Amino acid sequence: MDAVLSADGHRIALSPTAALRCPMAEAVTHWIREDVAPTIAAMGKSLRGVETLDSFACRRRNGVKDAKNQ
């Protein structure tokens, strides 16, 4: 996931991009749109980006069944 579109349509970048499963991506999107962006707007500012710290992709390397997780 590299960005969220705000309720008013502007792009809020996530940097670096985050590898998220769909339910988590939906939760993060909702949180940014409904909580974070309005809070920032109430201070007279516009949220332009969110700095992520890490994400995790639970997949086997190169799609090989018995390979180590990435």
Side-chain angles (χ1 to χ4, degrees), residues 46-62:
S46 177
L47 180 63
R48 297 183 342 189
V50 174
E51 184 177 341
T52 63
L53 297 177
D54 203 359
S55 63
F56 179 75
C58 186
R59 292 182 224 144
R60 303 291 180 186
R61 289 187 189 160
N62 302 322

Side-chain angles (χ1 to χ4, degrees), residues 11-70:
R11 187 176 190 273
I12 302 167
L14 274 66
S15 177
T17 60
L20 304 172
R21 295 184 71 167
C22 291
M24 185 63 179
E26 290 174 2
V28 169
T29 298
H30 178 78
W31 174 65
I32 290 172
R33 280 185 187 158
E34 304 301 322
D35 295 323
V36 179
T39 300
I40 300 295
M43 293 186 277
K45 305 285 183 182
S46 177
L47 180 63
R48 297 183 342 189
V50 174
E51 184 177 341
T52 63
L53 297 177
D54 203 359
S55 63
F56 179 75
C58 186
R59 292 182 224 144
R60 303 291 180 186
R61 289 187 189 160
N62 302 322
V64 177
K65 180 182 171 189
D66 295 326
K68 292 181 182 179
N69 284 340
Q70 292 181 332

